[in-house]
Amino acid sequence: TNSRAVNDTDVVVAVDVTGSMSVKDAQYGSAEQSSRLDVAKQAVKDVTALYPNSSFAALRFGASGTLDVPLTPDSNAIDNWADTPEATSVSAGSTLDAPIDQLLLTCKSIHDQHPDDAIVLYLFSDGEQTSSKARRTFSSLRRYLSDAFTVAIGSEQGGNIPVIADGVDGNADQWVTDPDTGKPGVSRMNKDEMASITDELSGTALVLNASNTMRDGVSKEASDKWRVTQTTKKRTRTMPVVWPLAIVTLLLLACELGAWIIQSRSLL
């Protein structure tokens, strides 16, 4: 049984993995441009470093929200969980409210298990809403959250969306076509949309670029309390069964001893 002290701060990370997150117009602490998803993965690692010995849950959202990593104190479990973007061949347009239902279930479950914990949400996205449906509000999450951050990734100039097939990068010269113009579609970061979500969550809006990283993105609502968790692991040991052999050996020795005694008396 192993005992471990865990901080009473639970961090929930939600990352947009739609096709537009493959656009290579994002910056993170330098002038070098990377895909929005690569920047999101680096930012997630920095978030886990901001909350040492805390617990984390991670989900991705594209066409829908999926909880990939339930709440765990193992920060390494989510550092590389968002590996590939959603295939653009199955994307039906970006809908920013896709993670709401799964976030509600996850945050409610965490709150029910640890009602005194501080729950902090980080929502990573480019803020692009291309679906024709009206976006639902994120305000229903506020009842479970102690704090929230929306993290906008990309550029307002935008870039072409590469074709992604089954989560694998395709030809760099193949772009998603805009059905209205018949030309390669341009995806732009929507900072205003991310700011609107921030207001609904009563949180803080962050924009990642060449000068801004997650360095200053730690929550002031993080808990200063700790709890002790115990983990019990079962180990199986193989014990050889030797007693039947021992009995047979004793019987043979007894027979030999009896035969020796009889032979000794016959020689007297």
Side-chain angles (χ1 to χ4, degrees), residues 26 39 56 74 194:
V39 168
F56 302 89
D74 183 8
M194 294 296 286

Side-chain angles (χ1 to χ4, degrees), residues 4-225:
R4 179 177 180 178
V6 179
N7 186 270
D8 285 354
T9 302
D10 302 322
V11 181
V12 179
V13 177
V15 176
D16 184 348
V17 293
T18 52
S20 63
M21 292 294 285
S22 296
V23 177
K24 295 184 178 181
D25 66 341
Q27 296 174 321
Y28 191 68
S30 71
E32 181 182 357
Q33 289 190 328
S34 303
S35 73
R36 298 171 185 176
L37 188 60
D38 285 340
V39 168
K41 289 191 286 185
Q42 181 58 50
V44 167
K45 293 179 181 178
D46 288 346
V47 167
T48 58
L50 292 174
Y51 299 92
N53 300 309
S54 296
S55 298
F56 302 89
L59 64 92
R60 67 176 69 198
F61 63 96
S64 61
T66 303
L67 179 65
D68 290 340
V69 184
L71 190 68
T72 174
D74 183 8
S75 61
N76 292 327
I78 69 165
D79 277 348
N80 297 305
W81 62 274
D83 290 330
T84 54
E86 181 187 35
T88 53
S89 58
V90 299
S91 293
S94 299
T95 305
L96 288 176
D97 60 10
I100 291 179
D101 293 335
Q102 186 60 64
L103 282 173
L104 279 171
L105 291 173
T106 301
C107 293
K108 182 180 184 303
S109 175
I110 294 173
H111 182 268
D112 291 344
Q113 292 177 21
H114 308 289
D116 296 327
D117 282 13
I119 303 177
V120 183
L121 170 65
Y122 286 85
L123 180 70
F124 295 87
S125 177
D126 53 21
E128 188 177 50
Q129 170 83 12
T130 60
S131 174
S132 59
K133 297 189 300 182
R135 177 179 64 80
R136 293 179 294 162
T137 178
F138 280 74
S139 58
S140 56
L141 289 165
R142 287 190 308 208
R143 73 185 76 174
Y144 302 116
L145 298 177
S146 304
D147 200 1
F149 292 84
T150 62
V151 186
I153 304 174
S155 68
E156 293 181 288
Q157 293 75 26
N160 294 336
I161 308 171
V163 173
I164 308 296
D166 299 327
V168 179
D169 289 340
N171 192 316
D173 296 328
Q174 294 182 344
W175 312 105
V176 175
T177 302
D178 186 335
D180 295 329
T181 64
K183 298 180 179 180
V186 177
S187 170
R188 296 179 176 86
M189 177 189 66
N190 193 330
K191 184 168 58 176
D192 294 336
E193 191 68 35
M194 294 296 286
S196 297
I197 296 176
T198 304
D199 291 339
E200 295 166 7
L201 292 170
S202 298
T204 302
L206 301 176
V207 179
L208 301 183
N209 50 41
S211 56
N212 295 330
T213 65
M214 295 303 301
R215 184 170 49 248
D216 301 322
V218 64
S219 173
K220 297 179 180 178
E221 301 298 326
S223 176
D224 57 358
K225 298 179 181 179

